[in-house]
Amino acid sequence: MKLIDRPEWKELSDHWKVIEPMHLRELFADDEKRAETFSMTACDLLIDCSKNRVTAETMEKLAALAEACGLRGKIEAMFTGEKINQTEDRAVLHTALRAPREAQVFVDGEDVIPGVHEVLDRMEAFCSKVRSGEWKGYTGKSIKNIVNIGIGGSDLGPVMAYEALKPYTQRDLKVLFVSNVDGTHIAEAVRDLDAEETLFIVASKTFTTQETMTNAQSAKAWALETLKDEAAIARHFVAVSTNADEVSKFGIDTVNMFGFWDWVGGRYSLTSAIGLPVMLAIGPENFRAMLSGYHAMDSHFRTAPFSENAPVILGLLGIWYNNFFDAATHAILPYDQYLSHFAAYFQQGDMESNGKYITQNGERVEWQTGPVIWGEPGTNGQHAFYQLIHQGTKLIPCDFIGFCKSQNPVGDHHVKLMANFFAQTEALAFGKTKEALEAEGTPSELIPHKTFEGNRPTNSIMAEKLTPEVLGQLIALYEHKIFVQGMIWDIFSFDQWGVQLGKILASAILPELESDSELGHDSSTNKLIEYFRANK
Ligand SMILES: O=P(O)(O)OC[C@H]1O[C@](O)(CO)[C@@H](O)[C@@H]1O
């Protein structure tokens, strides 16, 4: 049945008319225990959803929609390796990447868990050698610099996790990331490096991605300028890929290749061998701790009743705002500098997954799907775009993420940071009334400008400290939230056909930029190419 024809959807539409005029001020005034009722603990996370424009009835109706859409069965289908990525005929098993050794998960009759752990063990052995200095470069020097070359899912996750877990990194090992095909990225990355002490990881699921292969070829040329001998490549280049043939063709010995599988989507691949630069930086033990955090959240998602299931609840709240309040965007606002890349990571995670307008049956959707995801760490965001969140005309649901303990307890920085977190969610929910301004003696002409309507919804997600386990839990929380929404919107969350057209057109345009051939595009594209040709 079409999503919007479901009785549960219609009930939510009617219910929205009741809730929309209500203010969070009233909802809190009416229920002393609201914070308790609408917050939960999931693994090591405290998730407070009480500052949302919902009642207990709203949550029941949203859960009923999830049930009606068969969410429970769809969760099981994913965890048990059914080929739910139908347009690519693949299972979706990133959860198997962090399952314990004794687990069993079958794809086409084969248990994938032994293979997962074999790769993890090889990664561990390799990382230990590099970290200890036992792995030598071609001229006998130990490795001091790691350069990960990848893009999209083969870059954003490692960058994000490396930044997030910096306090756990081995500081004498420099880790750099190159993704953009813009030559500036690789040129700046290697500028001060010594090739004799540098190891490149070429990370690409397909090993055909234009950006990555171009950067990898340039890295090889740069390394050979110093190392001279092709035989040096084996000591300075390793690959992470599902494509052994292309890895060999590039000149990397497949002994130095860490594999993964077609059932790992690029944007869900951080816990596969794509995490190699992270393991090199933080060490195998911390990497495995991160995996156990992921696994804890996976188990919570798979087993908790919907009323206590954090990814389900966050997913349903997102649907409530996206589909009933017409909120077009969702902000992720971490109050932790180490999570500076968290929103960027989930831009791909969410928008590449749920940015789809075709249903699983191949029809045009008649409802909104994935929101625009954006955000920056607090308090920088406060001094940039929070004005619009507080007083703009758009409703922007926000996730605030923060920790009780700082990794860098310098003076009173942390209490100041967290005071801002709490103050912002309070201000967004409750605003500031005309009456309060009058009582303060505010000049009447300024009252409209200084009034805050409030009623801006937020989720607050907290943990004691940003450890590897907690990071794993947070990432899995968002991954599964995306799944919940995609399943309810009835779209295929695990393909990404929308990125193909631009790639194909770029391949056609590339030779045109290097010749004077006649151009057959629209007048705008022709003009831009002509301008480039004339001035390059
Ligand atoms: O790992 P690969 O195959 O180089 O792909 C990189 C990225 O390109 C995409 O296919 C499209 O951007 C992503 O899904 C993927 O993460």
Side-chain angles (χ1 to χ4, degrees), residues 3 40 53 67 91 122 128 270 275 284 288 397 402 422 474-475:
L3 177 60
M40 70 196 124
R53 293 170 68 173
E67 294 288 3
R122 281 187 56 224
S128 301
L270 175 55
R288 288 194 192 266
F422 303 133
L474 269 175
I475 301 171

Side-chain angles (χ1 to χ4, degrees), residues 94-246:
H94 42 279
T95 51
L97 298 169
R98 51 264 189 157
R101 262 178 223 279
E102 60 279 10
Q104 285 190 317
V105 181
F106 291 88
V107 177
D108 293 329
E110 193 197 328
D111 183 5
V112 300
I113 300 297
V116 165
H117 283 273
E118 189 196 311
V119 175
L120 277 173
D121 292 344
R122 281 187 56 224
M123 286 166 64
E124 177 163 348
F126 174 72
C127 289
S128 301
K129 278 191 201 153
V130 174
R131 285 165 62 84
S132 67
E134 189 191 331
W135 177 282
K136 302 286 185 216
Y138 190 60
T139 56
K141 291 192 180 173
S142 300
I143 298 300
K144 296 258 164 34
N145 316 302
I146 310 286
V147 183
N148 188 76
I149 298 176
I151 196 164
S154 302
D155 168 71
L156 291 163
V159 174
M160 182 276 288
Y162 170 71
E163 289 296 331
L165 299 176
K166 245 193 192 143
Y168 299 87
T169 57
Q170 183 170 312
R171 294 285 173 160
D172 62 356
L173 205 55
K174 196 169 175 178
V175 184
L176 298 150
F177 296 87
V178 173
S179 52
N180 199 333
V181 75
D182 184 341
T184 298
H185 208 174
I186 182 92
E188 285 294 342
V190 298
R191 190 179 299 285
D192 300 323
L193 304 185
D194 177 354
E196 292 176 81
E197 298 176 340
T198 302
L199 177 79
F200 290 93
I201 302 172
V202 185
S204 173
K205 181 174 169 181
T206 53
F207 229 74
T208 55
T209 303
Q210 185 200 50
E211 293 89 337
T212 301
M213 299 331 295
T214 307
N215 279 321
Q217 290 295 357
S218 299
K220 194 170 159 184
W222 173 83
L224 288 175
E225 272 172 32
T226 306
L227 301 169
K228 312 287 185 213
D229 189 346
E230 277 279 336
I233 297 305
R235 305 303 301 165
H236 293 270
F237 280 77
V238 299
V240 177
S241 187
T242 57
N243 191 342
D245 288 349
E246 288 297 326

Side-chain angles (χ1 to χ4, degrees), residues 451-515:
T451 302
F452 288 69
E453 279 174 0
N455 221 12
R456 310 294 210 247
T458 58
N459 294 309
S460 295
I461 303 172
M462 293 193 66
E464 195 180 317
K465 196 173 169 186
L466 181 54
T467 60
E469 287 94 334
V470 165
L471 180 69
Q473 292 170 18
L474 269 175
I475 301 171
L477 171 71
Y478 277 88
E479 285 181 347
H480 297 319
K481 172 197 166 180
I482 294 165
F483 177 85
V484 167
Q485 297 189 331
M487 293 306 112
I488 292 178
W489 288 325
D490 189 27
I491 53 180
F492 283 124
S493 297
F494 297 101
D495 59 20
Q496 56 285 317
W497 298 108
V499 298
Q500 293 308 327
L501 179 60
K503 289 185 192 172
I504 294 163
L505 296 186
S507 312
I509 291 174
L510 179 59
E512 294 174 348
L513 301 186
E514 290 165 329
S515 74

